[in-house]
Amino acid sequence: MGRVNVRLDDLPLRADLRGLTPYGAPQAALPVALNVNENTHPVPQDVADDIMDSVALALREVNRYPDREFTELRQGFADYLGHGLTAENIWAANGSNEVLQHILQAFAGPGRTAFGFAPTYSMYPLLTRGVGATWIAGTRDVDFTVTPESAAEQVSEAAPDVVFLCSPNNPTGTPVPLDVIEAVYDAAPGIVIVDEAYYEFAPSGERSALTLLPGRERLIVSRTMSKAFAFAGARVGYLAADPAIVDALRLVRLPYHLSALTQAAASAALRHAPTMLRMVDEIVAQRDRISATVEALGYRPYESWSNFVLFGGVDDPRTVWQGLYDRGVLIRDVGIPHHLRVSAGTEEETTAFLDALASLGSAT
Ligand SMILES: *Cc1c(COP(=O)(O)O)cnc(C)c1O
């Protein structure tokens, strides 16, 4: 039937959704796609084979609903995270985006608020609006860091029902020190989520917010298999928190929200965690190469604990983005004036990006 007559405005859409635009990172089929912080290394063949076997086994019982409590997978995440966590502390869903949505459904909603320090992950405001809650944007210093004092002051002032702390922060790469998390927790009346989507790319030995969980029943640490685990297409995210938080999320999830195939694939991948994470060091090396090279070209890279680099000093981001696009390289204009963000790819992809950027001339 095509799109002929009906426009969005003609539909009886919720008033609070009118005029909004959906999440829209371009999915262009370019040879070098470094725009959405994926792990561009494919899953190693031996792991892929084992995942296939597990999925094949699960398929034999796919006429039945899956284990609603995804018990084996929760145990797998507890074992992977360590820190004395048990399956009772774990929740999972189809990507950490759905995990975050569950948290907002349970703890935000109409008449409530969620807060984050801008610029931060673009999905937080969208997920917040999706549940009918109001987004409040806090501010950062010029280098995108936040001090414990400023963080606590802003959070006490806003008194939000849910706080998002993205650590390290997307799209800036900025680490969030544990004293900032503690200060925010003490100042916040409600739930505090530390989104550690990129934790595995942080310098080794850096403490996770998981170490802050004991005694903090309003604190949630979320993770994903999309980045370090090279599993973005499978859609698996998870969190660790007090078991009471997990009980709250059971109130809002759809029954059997994690398919038997997803559970089988994720459990199999977790059994191979060291192999799945083998590429992390290589990606970190490419990230640091990007930082050093864009700096040599006259741009200003920010410290990054993730698998991407935000760089400033870009006169006209649109032109640079287009120039790279025309050379087969897709990166991200995240809407911060004079800045662009690029994900670390394989060595070849990274070289392609750096060569293409150099061919556009140096920053002025
Ligand atoms: C990529 C990313 C996620 C992961 O989302 P999934 O739904 O698990 O793919 C979560 N948080 C941040 C900040 C991200 O950048």
Side-chain angles (χ1 to χ4, degrees):
M1 58 185 249
R3 288 179 79 98
V4 194
N5 293 318
V6 185
R7 294 176 316 132
L8 203 52
D9 287 345
D10 299 329
L11 295 175
L13 188 66
R14 273 166 42 187
D16 60 325
L17 294 181
R18 284 189 187 276
L20 296 185
T21 33
Y23 174 84
Q27 283 198 303
L30 256 57
V32 180
L34 301 175
N35 63 325
V36 286
N37 301 342
E38 290 153 334
N39 186 328
T40 64
H41 299 262
V43 172
Q45 191 57 49
D46 49 331
V47 182
D49 290 343
D50 196 38
I51 294 172
M52 285 284 277
D53 290 346
S54 296
V55 170
L57 213 59
L59 260 179
R60 292 201 207 147
E61 290 185 48
V62 86
N63 55 311
R64 302 287 183 184
Y65 282 112
D67 173 10
R68 204 169 45 215
E69 289 295 315
F70 43 103
T71 319
E72 183 191 342
L73 181 58
R74 287 163 72 210
Q75 187 60 53
F77 283 130
D79 293 343
Y80 170 68
L81 291 178
H83 291 91
L85 295 165
T86 69
E88 276 202 294
N89 297 109
I90 305 295
W91 186 249
N94 298 284
S96 59
N97 271 276
E98 192 183 43
V99 171
L100 301 176
Q101 185 178 51
H102 285 165
I103 300 169
L104 289 168
Q105 284 177 309
F107 297 103
R112 293 196 166 202
T113 56
F115 175 101
F117 296 100
T120 191
Y121 186 38
S122 63
M123 279 308 299
Y124 300 153
L126 291 179
L127 290 165
T128 300
R129 289 183 195 124
V131 301
T134 303
W135 173 253
I136 303 174
T139 58
R140 296 170 180 268
D141 290 341
V142 279
D143 60 353
F144 301 122
T145 60
V146 200
T147 63
E149 296 74 25
S150 162
E153 197 182 303
Q154 293 186 57
V155 167
S156 331
E157 161 109 18
D161 298 286
V162 174
V163 178
F164 287 98
L165 291 174
C166 193
S167 174
N169 185 51
N170 183 8
T172 61
T174 321
V176 181
L178 294 191
D179 60 353
V180 172
I181 300 171
E182 290 175 289
V184 165
Y185 186 86
D186 291 341
I191 296 292
V192 176
I193 306 168
V194 182
D195 182 348
E196 292 192 334
Y198 299 96
Y199 174 75
E200 286 89 347
F201 300 102
S204 57
E206 285 299 336
R207 275 169 64 201
S208 158
L210 291 170
T211 59
L212 298 179
L213 283 175
R216 291 186 178 86
E217 72 286 348
R218 293 176 289 110
L219 185 65
I220 299 175
V221 180
S222 80
R223 297 273 186 102
T224 180
M225 293 185 81
S226 292
K227 310 288 160 59
F229 267 92
F231 225 46
R235 312 303 303 125
V236 187
Y238 55 104
L239 63 73
D242 190 278
I245 297 266
V246 172
D247 279 341
L249 303 180
R250 287 193 179 90
L251 299 173
V252 295
R253 60 96 175 272
L254 297 175
Y256 318 108
H257 69 287
L258 267 186
S259 87
L261 307 184
T262 302
Q263 293 185 39
S267 290
L270 271 178
R271 289 196 294 273
H272 296 276
T275 315
M276 294 290 282
L277 296 172
R278 200 163 59 192
M279 287 301 163
V280 164
D281 290 344
E282 163 65 15
I283 294 165
V284 164
Q286 297 308 319
R287 174 198 72 200
D288 292 344
R289 188 176 150 227
I290 291 173
S291 299
T293 312
V294 298
E295 184 157 30
L297 287 171
Y299 298 101
R300 275 199 315 280
Y302 290 80
E303 179 184 17
S304 172
W305 282 17
S306 61
N307 67 344
F308 58 84
V309 177
L310 180 78
F311 55 99
V314 188
D315 253 357
D316 181 3
R318 185 72 221 170
T319 305
V320 174
W321 184 90
Q322 189 64 49
L324 293 169
Y325 188 100
D326 296 342
R327 288 162 177 76
V329 179
L330 185 60
I331 69 166
R332 191 80 177 272
D333 181 347
V334 289
I336 305 174
H338 305 299
H339 288 71
L340 287 168
R341 189 193 72 188
V342 62
S343 317
T346 60
E347 184 175 0
E348 295 70 38
E349 290 166 329
T350 303
T351 300
F353 159 70
L354 292 171
D355 288 353
L357 186 67
S359 77
L360 296 172
S362 295
T364 43

